[in-house]
Amino acid sequence: MSIPLTWNDSPAQAVATQSYREQAARIIRAQIISGRLEPGTMYSIGEIAEKLNVSITPVREALHDLTREGLIEVKRNRGFRVRTPSSKELDDIVQIRTMLEVSAVREITERALIEDFDPLRQLSRRTEVFARAGEWVGFLDTDREFHLSILAALDNPKLLEIVGSLRDQSRLFGLDKMAGSPNFLQSTKEHELLLDAMEAHDPERAASIMTTHLRHVRGVWAGQSEPHRPR
């Protein structure tokens, strides 16, 4: 039996008039990553389409994209379930992201490849606003844009493709429970600390902050305790 979704009735949750497929995928992905769409529950395509106020076709297409990302399993004539990755799989994702993103941030800082930090600081502030409000579509969009905008300084499209895919495969089941909590808000402030280190041309400090930041994917962002709190 399908269980009605309990998404926030905010403007950020509605599909706009353009790119229905992409926007539907973006919203559904955010619900999966935040844990609002739970593994083990069968969701019907019809109820998703009704919730987003669109026809079934763009939702079906969006679900096809999410299946390729490994986020869901579609059951013919029944709907779809959120795929449950193993802890090992999630740990592997974080390990690969750490190997890629920490090294990238260090190189970008060493080479001073970013000259104007204002757009990144604006993204950082928007991310924090969404985090405080528990608006996960906005939070995940701006957080993703923040990280990929930094990596874009290396002018390596393949790196952006790989990291973007790995981010989409991560699961942050504790987001709803962590909304507005001191530990969670402290973790979002690390964006500003990272930018401060990069702008000060301190590659080792920037790399250290990024390492700590990525650890939250399997820590406070997933509702789990961490051995060391961020500095």
Side-chain angles (χ1 to χ4, degrees):
M1 177 181 296
S2 296
I3 299 176
L5 305 183
T6 56
W7 300 354
N8 289 340
D9 295 323
S10 67
Q13 302 295 337
V15 174
T17 57
Q18 297 179 345
S19 305
Y20 284 156
R21 174 178 183 161
E22 294 180 2
Q23 292 186 62
R26 174 176 63 90
I27 293 172
I28 297 168
R29 184 186 297 112
Q31 303 302 321
I32 293 171
I33 295 174
S34 68
R36 289 182 179 174
L37 288 181
E38 299 179 352
T41 298
M42 182 67 69
Y43 297 100
S44 75
I45 297 177
E47 72 178 332
I48 298 291
E50 182 178 357
K51 190 70 178 179
L52 298 178
N53 194 30
V54 295
S55 67
I56 287 178
T57 298
V59 173
R60 195 187 307 276
E61 293 171 344
L63 294 177
H64 177 71
D65 295 337
L66 297 175
T67 299
R68 289 190 303 171
E69 293 176 14
L71 292 178
I72 65 170
E73 297 173 340
V74 175
K75 303 296 182 180
R76 189 174 181 84
N77 299 324
R78 295 178 61 193
F80 71 94
R81 284 196 182 99
V82 175
R83 181 173 167 269
T84 306
S86 67
S87 293
K88 175 64 164 56
E89 183 178 349
L90 294 174
D91 289 340
D92 288 348
I93 289 172
V94 174
Q95 182 183 45
I96 297 171
R97 285 189 60 191
T98 300
M99 293 168 66
L100 293 174
E101 294 184 60
V102 172
S103 175
V105 163
R106 181 184 287 110
E107 181 177 350
I108 292 167
T109 305
E110 287 176 343
R111 295 170 58 189
L113 295 180
I114 298 177
E115 296 181 358
D116 184 4
F117 283 85
D118 285 345
L120 290 169
R121 292 193 185 278
Q122 292 176 21
L123 277 174
S124 175
R125 288 191 288 270
R126 288 171 56 200
T127 301
E128 188 171 346
V129 169
F130 285 126
R132 288 182 181 278
E135 294 186 12
W136 301 130
V137 173
F139 171 78
L140 293 169
D141 277 352
T142 53
D143 185 68
R144 177 191 178 94
E145 185 178 355
F146 176 85
H147 283 269
L148 295 186
S149 294
I150 290 176
L151 299 183
L154 287 174
D155 192 23
N156 186 331
K158 180 59 67 175
L159 174 65
L160 299 183
E161 178 184 339
I162 293 172
V163 172
S165 176
L166 290 172
R167 286 178 60 87
D168 293 340
Q169 295 174 51
S170 301
R171 306 298 165 84
L172 310 176
F173 291 125
L175 279 183
D176 264 350
K177 293 182 290 186
M178 294 301 294
S181 69
N183 283 346
F184 183 72
L185 294 177
Q186 178 62 37
S187 73
T188 65
K189 293 180 184 299
E190 289 169 2
H191 284 173
E192 289 291 335
L193 297 178
L194 175 63
L195 296 178
D196 289 344
M198 296 182 73
E199 195 164 15
H201 306 296
D202 188 342
E204 294 310 314
R205 175 63 176 159
S208 176
I209 293 171
M210 179 60 82
T211 300
T212 298
H213 192 62
L214 290 174
R215 190 181 301 134
H216 301 322
V217 174
R218 298 293 284 140
V220 296
W221 290 5
Q224 304 295 323
S225 61
E226 297 181 13
H228 300 291
R229 297 183 64 178
R231 297 178 182 178

